[in-house]
Amino acid sequence: MIIKIKQADPTQLLAAERATMVCSRLQGRLVLGEATCTALDAIANDDLTPWAMRQTINNAIEWRRTSQAMTELGYLLGYTDAQMDDLFRLAMTVDV
């Protein structure tokens, strides 16, 4: 009898991991660092930035990797999806 073991689909594994990626705004900002937070704050202070995005940057209590706002902010800040994943992984380890 031959037993075939189905390997997990890497895309599904990554999607499942991303669903668990949640950090506080402070954890995220500490990992991003001063220079990136300065750029993030500039986006939040720009009147051309949509109101909902400005509110998200300034007032979100937690950041979720699966949030469309996080995807957009990552793009605006020049991060790839893989870099965003790594930032979330690191942020979730910050003890504050």
Side-chain angles (χ1 to χ4, degrees):
M1 179 176 177
I2 298 175
I3 299 174
K4 291 186 178 183
I5 299 174
K6 184 179 178 183
Q7 289 185 327
D9 177 5
T11 304
Q12 290 177 337
L13 289 174
L14 181 57
E17 180 188 13
R18 284 179 175 165
T20 68
M21 292 180 173
V22 180
C23 68
S24 72
R25 181 173 180 262
L26 178 58
Q27 287 172 305
R29 289 181 67 89
L30 290 173
V31 168
L32 288 173
E34 185 175 358
T36 301
C37 285
T38 297
L40 185 63
D41 294 341
I43 293 168
N45 291 324
D46 186 340
D47 288 338
L48 297 177
T49 300
W51 179 84
M53 180 61 79
R54 292 193 320 256
Q55 293 304 308
T56 299
I57 293 169
N58 289 325
N59 300 306
I61 295 169
E62 64 182 21
W63 293 351
R64 294 182 173 275
R65 178 64 180 96
T66 56
S67 164
Q68 182 62 35
M70 289 299 109
T71 300
E72 291 173 18
L73 286 172
Y75 173 79
L76 290 172
L77 294 170
Y79 289 107
T80 65
D81 283 340
Q83 290 171 318
M84 288 293 288
D85 293 338
D86 288 341
L87 286 167
F88 267 86
R89 287 180 187 112
L90 182 57
M92 292 184 322
T93 69
V94 174
D95 189 19
V96 292

